Amino acid sequence: GHIRVPMIQRDYAQGRPAEEEVREEFLNTLKGALCRPADDPSLPLNLDFIYGSVEGNEQTRFLPLDGQQRLTTLFLLHWYLAWKDDQWTAFDQLFLSEDHSRFAYSVRPSSNEFFDQLVMYRPAHSTEKKQSLAALIADQPWYFRSWRLDPTIQAVLHMLDAIHDKFCESEGLFARLLDKD
């Protein structure tokens, strides 16, 4: 199905510059869980409460009422690790449907349009460890300058840079992220 953050929810906040402590703690927790051995007794990672409603019959959509911030960060981590491990086919099966993202925000149309573009974007790998993904994405022809005014998009770009800083030397974590066991 799809995940659509409903209009009643706030913008994505974990990526805001002012949320550094929350962002770092969550990314450290995610990285720690992904780097532990599969049989570690502290696994699986408990992401606490994520709840909402499901609508639709043939094409279901999950509308989160709580957990939107964590779900957005997890979506971005999937995108990033698919890029790192060149696992776009598996990523597309999860998050791409007819040139649209299966993860979307109803908060404002620009956020939704951005996620549609992001799921189809395949950045080239750089030898620069400290490459800014935000700058790379903002330099794409599909990136609208007006998106600089969308707080969700700006927080996403900031989070992608934070994920890059944390996971830039990782390998093979996309498969681990998808491993149901």
Side-chain angles (χ1 to χ4, degrees), residues 12-16 19-20 22-23 26 69-70 73 155 159:
Y12 178 54
Q14 272 187 358
R16 292 179 186 160
E19 297 297 326
E20 183 175 6
V22 171
R23 179 176 48 258
F26 190 46
Q69 303 295 319
R70 286 166 282 158
T73 300
M159 177 59 87

Side-chain angles (χ1 to χ4, degrees), residues 32-83:
L34 288 170
C35 292
R36 286 188 197 110
D39 61 351
D40 189 298
S42 67
L43 296 175
L45 180 62
N46 181 358
L47 292 175
D48 203 15
F49 236 35
I50 295 178
Y51 69 92
S53 61
V54 176
E55 68 177 24
N57 293 325
E58 291 181 27
Q59 185 179 36
T60 61
R61 292 190 304 184
F62 175 66
L63 307 167
L65 296 176
D66 187 37
Q68 152 209 353
Q69 303 295 319
R70 286 166 282 158
L71 288 172
T72 304
T73 300
L74 287 169
F75 164 76
L76 296 172
L77 184 62
H78 278 81
W79 183 87
Y80 179 82
L81 293 177
W83 173 63

